[in-house]
């Protein structure tokens, strides 16, 4: 059985165990997606851990192309003279897949000010005075909210690639994320990757330690400091498009070259 089907089965069992109702993709949807991979010559994916899920299930590594998603660098950037209102920000739907049960446990006894932006899904939002929830925010306005916080977190159990990580990084926030979110892939864009804290185990204790480490890193940051520096253009949507176009060019000219050799 493919690992994605196994993961969904395990998640269903876990949700039943803790008496939570979670909306998951149907088995038919998953099988249809898996069939599309088998019929494709190449598969474009956003992260190394996503690539590993393919190779673990028999796909050749050279059939995959890793290209982390870009970010609108004109809307997401570090603001100078900003007012910090929150210690931690998290953007995304409030669901168990995103690890919000782990986050709630990690911050249960903390006095850290936490901001969540996004819809409420299958997990209830804590009734804690330090926790604030805001519904969906337009992408054009989202950057200013990142700049109200010290650090950003993404404790997902699995995420092909967390676009919100790129947004937070572009705004100059230290990041805390689990190993299955694409955070490791973002490190390649930095001359100093210490600003991205990747936790290896998805549990409350590891997440809490990661948050405290990131807050220490925040204290090292000069106001308005852009730790992405010259790599901003590489992580823009223009940079994403160029990387994809270069990959397609390599496929085309490589196949054409091999065809010429065959004809010769």
């Amino acid at each position: 059985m493919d690992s994605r089907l196994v993961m969904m089965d395990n998640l269903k069992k876990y949700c039943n165990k803790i008496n939570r109702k979670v909306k998951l993709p149907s088995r038919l949807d998953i099988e249809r997606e898996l069939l599309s991979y088998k019929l494709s010559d190449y598969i474009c994916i956003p992260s190394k851990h996503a690539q590993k899920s393919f190779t673990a299930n028999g796909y050749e590594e050279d059939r995959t192309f890793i290209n982390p998603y870009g970010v609108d660098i004109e809307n997401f950037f570090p603001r100078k003279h900003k007012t910090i209102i929150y210690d931690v920000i998290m953007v995304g739907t409030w669901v168990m897949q995103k690890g919000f049960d782990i986050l709630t446990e990690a911050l249960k006894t903390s006095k850290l000010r936490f901001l969540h932006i996004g819809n409420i899904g299958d997990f209830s939002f804590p009734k804690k005075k330090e926790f604030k929830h805001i519904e969906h925010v337009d992408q054009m306005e989202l950057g200013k909210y990142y700049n109200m916080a010290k650090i950003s977190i993404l404790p997902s159990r699995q995420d092909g690639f967390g676009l919100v990580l790129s947004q937070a990084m572009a705004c100059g926030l230290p990041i805390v994320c689990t190993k299955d979110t694409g955070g490791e892939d973002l490190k390649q864009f930095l001359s100093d990757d210490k600003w991205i804290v990747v936790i290896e185990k998805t549990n409350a204790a590891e997440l809490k330690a990661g948050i405290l480490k990131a807050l220490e890193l925040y204290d090292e940051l000069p106001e308005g400091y852009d730790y992405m520096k010259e790599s901003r253009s590489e992580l823009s949507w223009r940079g994403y498009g160029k990387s994809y176009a270069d990959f397609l060019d390599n496929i085309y000219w490589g196949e054409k070259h091999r065809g010429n050799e065959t004809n010769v």
Side-chain angles (χ1 to χ4, degrees), residues 88-213:
V88 183
I89 186 173
M90 167 59 208
V91 179
T93 305
W94 190 265
V95 291
M96 288 188 64
Q97 180 177 309
K98 297 288 186 182
F100 286 125
D101 54 327
I102 299 168
L103 166 64
T104 301
E105 179 66 23
L107 297 181
K108 183 170 61 176
T109 60
S110 170
K111 296 298 183 183
L112 294 176
R113 300 160 297 171
F114 173 75
L115 172 64
H116 169 252
I117 297 178
N119 298 326
I120 300 297
D122 55 38
F123 198 76
S124 58
F125 193 76
K127 295 179 180 179
K128 194 171 183 283
K129 67 178 182 178
E130 291 85 6
F131 277 49
K132 182 175 178 59
H133 165 72
I134 297 177
E135 287 293 324
H136 174 77
V137 171
D138 187 275
Q139 291 289 303
M140 299 292 287
E141 296 293 318
L142 189 54
K144 74 176 184 181
Y145 286 94
Y146 279 111
N147 277 275
M148 293 178 185
K150 294 179 180 179
I151 68 170
S152 179
I153 64 174
L154 184 61
S156 299
R157 288 181 165 85
Q158 67 85 23
D159 225 315
F161 183 86
L163 179 58
V164 295
L165 296 178
S166 301
Q167 294 174 345
M169 190 168 83
C171 290
L173 276 66
I175 295 167
V176 183
C177 59
T178 53
K179 60 183 178 63
D180 296 326
T181 56
E184 283 287 353
D185 297 84
L186 289 177
K187 289 183 176 183
Q188 66 181 299
F189 295 98
L190 302 178
S191 56
D192 187 350
D193 63 16
K194 71 178 183 180
W195 308 109
I196 301 176
V197 180
V198 179
I199 61 174
E200 291 300 317
K201 296 180 180 179
T202 310
N203 60 50
E206 290 275 337
L207 180 59
K208 184 176 182 179
I211 290 172
L212 294 177
K213 182 177 180 180

Side-chain angles (χ1 to χ4, degrees), residues 65-77 161 163 165-167 169-171 185-186 188-190 226 228-246:
F65 165 58
I66 301 175
N67 194 17
Y69 298 139
V71 64
D72 185 347
I73 57 176
E74 293 186 3
N75 284 328
F76 296 93
F77 58 89
F161 183 86
L163 179 58
L165 296 178
S166 301
Q167 294 174 345
M169 190 168 83
C171 290
D185 297 84
L186 289 177
Q188 66 181 299
F189 295 98
L190 302 178
D226 183 6
M228 287 181 65
K229 299 179 181 177
E230 65 279 355
S231 64
R232 289 186 69 81
S233 61
E234 294 179 49
L235 199 59
S236 67
W237 281 115
R238 183 180 294 275
Y240 172 85
K242 181 180 184 305
S243 180
Y244 194 48
D246 289 345

